[in-house]
Amino acid sequence: MAMTAKVKDELSRLVVTKPCCRKAEVSTMLRFAGGLHIVGGRIVVEAELDTGAAARRLRMHVSEVYGHDSELLVVAAGGLRRTSRYVVRVVEDGEGLARQTGLVDLRGRPVRGLPPRVVNGAACDAEAAWRGAFLAHGSLTEPGRSSSMEITCPGPEAALALVGAARRLGISVKAREVRGVDRVVIRDGDAIGAMLTRLGAHDAVLAWEERRVRKEVRATANRLANFDDANLRRSARAAVAAGARVERALEILGDEVPDHLRTAGELRLEHKQASLEELGALADPPMTKDAVAGRIRRLLALADKTAADRGIPGTDANLTEEMLDA
């Protein structure tokens, strides 16, 4: 669970200033990690979290955004609990907070999914909802065949709301029920990287991608050693060839290359073995693979045209016969 802790630590320290995003994050954290309790005839709002940093972040948002004081209780590890848990509790005017965050509707009935303003909000609200859900009940496994980013949901309605939020971000996720527990899961490596980027866990993305590439390189080395994958070798040569052409294109254009094309070219040079999807996930802001391919294609075309006008070798000048065989 090392990657989970790394992501939650980074998200807990992320600075968010937009009020709508802070409200969406609080609503989702309370919905996924908490519940409503009746104590002495009054509604008490509670949220149980597995990190102290996430609990402090929730308390800060509740105080600064909604103006409510909260208590922080630490439940020590013991029995089935392997680690300590942190309970954020709002006793004074818990009903007011429940209404403000959308945990209950105008008639005082509990909302089973997420509040309408989160479900129908902008992309930043969708990102905030996923960030709150991950801080509340998210996990990220190590890269590999069984890698996954998973959110445990309080019910099917909340799971469907998360799926819809991910769809607004252009990321494909699946909702499923496992032994009576609703979960939302991302298994595709590129999609996991894209989601972590959208949530703001940039350091965690780099660490996760580094481990992913390391495992892929190790697996690739084993396949090449056994001569089992000729297509992989051709792909590797093609990537090297693309890098050589991009490097030559940047030399030809120099300071004349447009910034957006230069950025795409530098990404290609810095990550020569990465796929277009991976390059898109590493871009800031993230791009689709078609956008990355289009920019690199325009960079090469512009460089070849400039080279022809100047009467100098084009982007093919650095290619070797081995690269051309790809």
Side-chain angles (χ1 to χ4, degrees), residues 7-250:
V7 175
K8 289 189 176 183
D9 177 68
E10 185 172 0
L11 294 182
S12 296
R13 292 182 285 105
L14 183 68
V15 177
V16 179
T17 57
K18 294 181 65 175
C20 64
C21 298
R22 300 178 75 182
K23 290 179 179 179
E25 184 178 319
V26 170
S27 295
T28 310
M29 287 184 74
L30 291 177
R31 182 70 184 92
F32 278 69
L36 304 177
H37 306 280
I38 304 297
V39 179
R42 297 188 302 174
I43 292 180
V44 175
V45 179
E46 283 189 354
E48 183 175 317
L49 302 159
D50 57 2
T51 69
R56 289 189 294 272
R57 180 182 181 87
L58 178 58
R59 294 188 71 200
M60 177 187 69
H61 286 335
V62 168
S63 174
E64 294 180 357
V65 178
Y66 294 107
H68 293 276
D69 294 328
S70 60
E71 303 173 354
L72 177 60
L73 308 177
V74 180
V75 182
L80 296 178
R81 298 180 183 273
R82 297 183 180 180
T83 59
S84 297
R85 306 289 291 182
Y86 303 84
V87 178
V88 177
R89 178 181 296 165
V90 178
V91 178
E92 296 296 330
D93 197 19
E95 181 176 354
L97 178 63
R99 292 183 182 276
Q100 289 173 307
T101 55
L103 295 180
V104 297
D105 61 19
L106 296 177
R107 298 183 180 181
R109 297 173 301 187
V111 174
R112 298 180 65 85
L114 288 177
R117 65 172 176 268
V118 177
V119 174
N120 302 320
C124 64
D125 296 322
E127 294 171 353
W130 263 85
R131 186 163 52 246
F134 192 92
L135 286 170
H137 265 303
S139 63
L140 176 65
T141 61
E142 293 287 334
R145 290 184 178 180
S146 59
S147 62
S148 67
M149 183 177 183
E150 187 172 289
I151 309 289
T152 302
C153 305
E157 296 86 357
L160 291 176
L162 268 194
V163 171
R167 188 179 297 117
R168 295 208 305 277
L169 299 176
I171 300 174
S172 177
V173 306
K174 292 184 178 181
R176 61 175 186 169
E177 182 180 336
V178 180
R179 292 188 292 275
V181 178
D182 293 283
R183 305 177 190 273
V184 174
V185 183
I186 308 177
R187 293 202 176 277
D188 179 72
D190 294 331
I192 291 175
M195 180 60 79
L196 291 174
T197 301
R198 296 300 293 263
L199 299 188
H202 301 293
D203 291 342
V205 170
L206 294 177
W208 195 84
E209 290 288 357
E210 180 183 353
R211 299 183 189 187
R212 179 187 176 195
V213 170
R214 189 183 303 125
K215 290 194 175 184
E216 289 178 352
V217 168
R218 186 181 299 117
T220 298
N222 291 336
R223 287 196 296 269
L224 289 176
N226 295 325
F227 302 101
D228 287 338
D229 202 343
N231 287 333
L232 186 61
R233 291 195 294 273
R234 285 197 294 270
S235 297
R237 288 197 296 268
V240 173
R245 290 193 68 195
V246 168
E247 184 176 9
R248 175 60 180 164
L250 294 177

